[in-house]
Amino acid sequence: MKLYVAVCRMLLGASLLVSANVHGGEGGEGFDWLKVVIFAEHQTDYSGVFVYQYDNHVETSRITHVVDGDGENERLESLDGPKREIVRHHGRVLGHHGEELPQVESPQGIGKFPSLLPEQLAALSANYQAKLLGTERIAGYDAQAILFQPRDGLRYTHKIWVHTDSGLLLKAAVLGSKNQLVEQYAFTQLQIGGKIDRSWVRQGVVAGFHGRDFHKQHDTARRGSPTNSGWVADALPAGFAKTMEIQRPMHGNHAPVIQMVYSDGLSAISIFIESDDGDEDDVEGLSSRGAMNLYHKVVGKHLFTVVGEVPPHTVMRVLDSIRHNGQ
Amino acid sequence: MKQEISVLMDGELFEDEVESLLDRLKQDPAARKNWAAYHLIGDVLRQPDHIHCDLSAKVRERMQDEPTVFAPHGRMAKQKMRAFALSAAASLSAIGVVAWMSLQIGPEAAPQLAMQQNAMRPVKAQFQAKSNDYLMAHQEFSPSTDMSGGAYYIRTVSYETEEIQMRNSTGKK
């Protein structure tokens, strides 16, 4: 494992040398670690228990991630409160709330292998300052701590702790403008590699989802399709580049919803546009959970919803700048 | 004493405690200095361009030039003064105390700090059950998912008691 990561870091380091002029070397090593994290996350088998915390809320969950010939399989189970479970296979998502059937499926294609593109790296260093902090022990492993401090007040500070051997993310904290903790995620126990139970990948999942076999289901009508709707938001913070725009089904059988996703490499903002169905719940409102803020508002005949891991004023600002191009 | 002063500036001290603290402030020059320093911090934060050092000396000088009024103090006047002092303290509160605390405490102690702030902060609006659809749809494409695997999907299924009730009453979709 060590050797594998060392080689991986060397390769990434070499590619970074080429693009060193893009981000001027400043905090380059911090962004280098980010690439390692993304790489390791998709390639490593692991199973562990983590704590997720925001406001006065503390919750424990177990996550298991195994890679097989078919791709990545992942299971997230809640250990506190009512039983909830989310299973991802090839980037497709099935949610499981108690006895409820899954509601949302990922339109993402099979074989997705995300990584930071050079232009995203350039945007990252333009908008965040990366600082390598010391090493700390997290869940019994040595971790490198890295701080990503935004250069404007429109995004949060991110602090991550990366396992120095495997490159896995062991802990992540989102901090507000006064360094107050907005949310935190940290492993308390983690097994990396070795013998990890994968019986759930076929049996458990299929049984758990009332016989729905997600390996075979390819109902394209229920998945999203790329679109270009002509909607724009002028007040997106600098460095947020559009990563996709799709039309997707949501809320059961309602008319399709347009989703536009923008990312600055560390956080993303989604804009949802749908026709207003006169639901009384849809009047203007701001809500939040941890680093996630959601703002929705009926404008004319449309319901706009903006969601992202950015401060409340940013989602509000983005929503208020939405307009249809050429109108 | 320092702690009490900061709590006073926060507007969180009970009325009787305020009175006794103000009395002690009158008698203890060191405490008065602290009081002034905390306010200076607040002032610097809000208007860094207009800072005059040792304001208290200048104020004292001016006070000596003021004519002395030989009339009995009405109780009302005293009350008004106190109200004024309190509202002034309150207006400085958040900025002053947070600035002071963040000077003392680095990001490492952030969890504790966050807890304290939560106690003071008004309750945030919680997500409605319907919002989870948006959260889920967003999470698929968030960089945090690439970094932590599905762990951040916990945001979309994180439970709140009211929310579960809502889910059950609205039935299955």
Side-chain angles (χ1 to χ4, degrees):
Chain A
M1 183 65 76
K2 252 186 191 175
L3 183 74
Y4 165 71
V5 171
V7 170
C8 152
R9 288 201 62 200
M10 227 168 68
L11 286 173
L12 290 172
S15 71
L16 221 85
L17 276 180
V18 179
S19 60
N21 56 334
V22 176
H23 44 91
E26 190 193 344
E29 215 181 327
F31 298 115
D32 195 0
W33 273 106
L34 214 52
K35 289 175 129 185
V36 173
V37 168
I38 294 170
F39 190 79
E41 163 49 39
H42 292 275
Q43 299 294 305
T44 316
D45 288 357
Y46 62 88
S47 177
V49 173
F50 69 91
V51 169
Y52 174 64
Q53 178 192 354
Y54 66 88
D55 292 353
N56 293 324
H57 184 97
V58 181
E59 190 173 348
T60 314
S61 311
R62 178 185 293 124
I63 186 162
T64 308
H65 181 268
V66 290
V67 187
D68 59 20
D70 257 357
E72 294 174 63
N73 299 282
E74 197 166 66
R75 179 161 71 158
L76 176 68
E77 306 158 86
S78 64
L79 299 178
D80 298 339
K83 190 169 161 51
R84 286 142 297 135
E85 186 175 2
I86 283 189
V87 171
R88 294 202 307 154
H89 176 80
H90 286 313
R92 295 186 61 191
V93 182
L94 293 182
H96 184 223
H97 303 270
E99 287 306 303
E100 246 175 69
L101 284 171
Q103 299 166 5
V104 186
E105 287 173 29
S106 166
Q108 195 75 335
I110 286 169
K112 171 192 172 216
F113 186 81
S115 60
L116 285 172
L117 302 169
E119 58 266 30
Q120 274 177 305
L121 265 181
L124 262 178
S125 57
N127 294 298
Y128 294 91
Q129 196 172 9
K131 228 184 276 171
L132 284 189
L133 306 174
T135 48
E136 284 176 43
R137 258 180 101 240
I138 310 284
Y141 295 102
D142 287 330
Q144 168 73 49
I146 306 144
L147 188 72
F148 297 95
Q149 216 139 23
R151 297 183 198 267
D152 60 26
L154 296 169
R155 46 206 119 203
Y156 286 126
T157 300
H158 296 258
K159 189 174 176 186
I160 61 171
W161 287 259
V162 184
H163 183 207
T164 45
D165 288 350
S166 73
L168 283 179
L169 189 68
L170 297 180
K171 182 175 170 182
V174 175
L175 306 171
S177 57
K178 297 185 179 79
N179 267 341
Q180 82 277 20
L181 190 76
V182 176
E183 72 169 17
Q184 180 170 285
Y185 143 96
F187 275 108
T188 55
Q189 178 270 320
L190 177 65
Q191 183 198 340
I192 303 170
K195 204 170 147 56
I196 290 170
D197 174 39
R198 47 180 82 211
S199 56
W200 54 272
V201 173
R202 291 196 179 271
Q203 307 150 19
V205 168
V206 175
F209 290 104
H210 306 267
R212 280 173 71 122
D213 186 347
F214 63 76
H215 289 256
K216 286 179 187 151
Q217 197 189 31
H218 281 285
D219 183 4
T220 44
R222 280 195 51 76
R223 305 171 118 212
S225 54
T227 182
N228 194 351
S229 62
W231 290 95
V232 290
D234 297 318
L236 277 159
F240 273 90
K242 195 196 242 181
T243 55
M244 64 164 32
E245 176 168 355
I246 52 167
Q247 258 194 320
R248 63 181 304 157
M250 268 178 90
H251 321 302
N253 293 323
H254 281 222
V257 176
I258 293 164
Q259 180 182 9
M260 299 186 280
V261 186
Y262 301 83
S263 168
D264 72 351
L266 274 178
S267 47
I269 296 175
S270 281
I271 298 175
F272 298 91
I273 294 163
E274 60 204 284
S275 52
D276 176 33
D277 59 3
D279 189 337
E280 281 180 17
D281 285 346
D282 293 340
V283 287
E284 192 175 337
L286 176 73
S287 44
S288 60
R289 178 180 291 153
M292 202 71 98
N293 283 288
L294 181 149
Y295 183 51
H296 62 99
K297 193 178 189 179
V298 174
V299 179
K301 288 177 181 157
H302 294 96
L303 170 65
F304 294 160
T305 308
V306 178
V307 185
E309 307 89 347
V310 288
H313 56 265
T314 306
V315 290
M316 294 177 78
R317 182 184 132 118
V318 168
L319 189 143
D320 289 328
S321 76
I322 298 173
R323 63 177 174 89
H324 200 268
N325 208 1
Q327 276 186 10
Chain B
M1 190 75 172
K2 276 186 183 176
Q3 176 111 30
E4 282 175 273
I5 291 172
S6 79
V7 178
L8 171 66
M9 284 176 63
D10 227 357
E12 297 213 323
L13 224 51
F14 290 109
E15 203 170 328
D16 48 340
E17 291 175 319
V18 171
E19 224 151 323
S20 77
L21 180 60
L22 288 177
D23 281 339
R24 270 181 289 158
L25 274 176
K26 282 176 207 158
Q27 280 149 28
D28 184 357
R32 268 206 305 278
K33 242 187 184 160
N34 283 334
W35 169 261
Y38 289 178
H39 281 273
L40 189 63
I41 292 170
D43 288 340
V44 171
L45 276 170
R46 284 173 309 149
Q47 290 185 307
D49 300 333
H50 306 283
I51 295 311
H52 305 281
C53 289
D54 204 3
L55 222 58
S56 58
K58 280 185 186 154
V59 172
R60 212 179 304 123
E61 255 171 55
R62 293 283 297 275
M63 289 291 273
Q64 271 165 1
D65 294 335
E66 290 282 326
T68 312
V69 180
F70 290 102
H73 265 294
R75 189 163 164 70
M76 278 306 286
K78 201 175 160 198
Q79 287 268 323
K80 251 188 199 163
M81 274 296 277
R82 198 179 301 146
F84 170 72
L86 274 175
S87 67
S91 66
L92 280 174
S93 63
I95 301 170
V97 173
V98 168
W100 174 69
M101 288 207 289
S102 54
L103 287 176
Q104 312 275 313
I105 313 168
E108 303 309 320
Q112 274 180 323
L113 184 57
M115 288 292 193
Q116 285 173 17
Q117 288 190 333
N118 280 325
M120 304 176 209
R121 209 194 297 162
V123 182
K124 270 198 242 165
Q126 297 291 358
F127 276 121
Q128 297 172 348
K130 189 177 169 184
S131 306
N132 276 338
D133 293 353
Y134 298 108
L135 241 59
M136 189 79 129
H138 170 77
Q139 192 65 53
E140 288 164 27
F141 309 111
S142 168
S144 60
T145 303
D146 278 336
M147 286 168 64
S148 68
Y152 271 121
Y153 272 93
I154 195 66
R155 283 170 178 151
T156 64
V157 293
S158 184
Y159 71 96
E160 285 147 20
T161 330
E162 326 88 83
E163 185 184 294
I164 303 296
Q165 283 163 355
M166 208 188 297
R167 210 170 262 290
N168 289 338
S169 64
T170 51
K172 288 156 195 175
K173 290 197 177 166

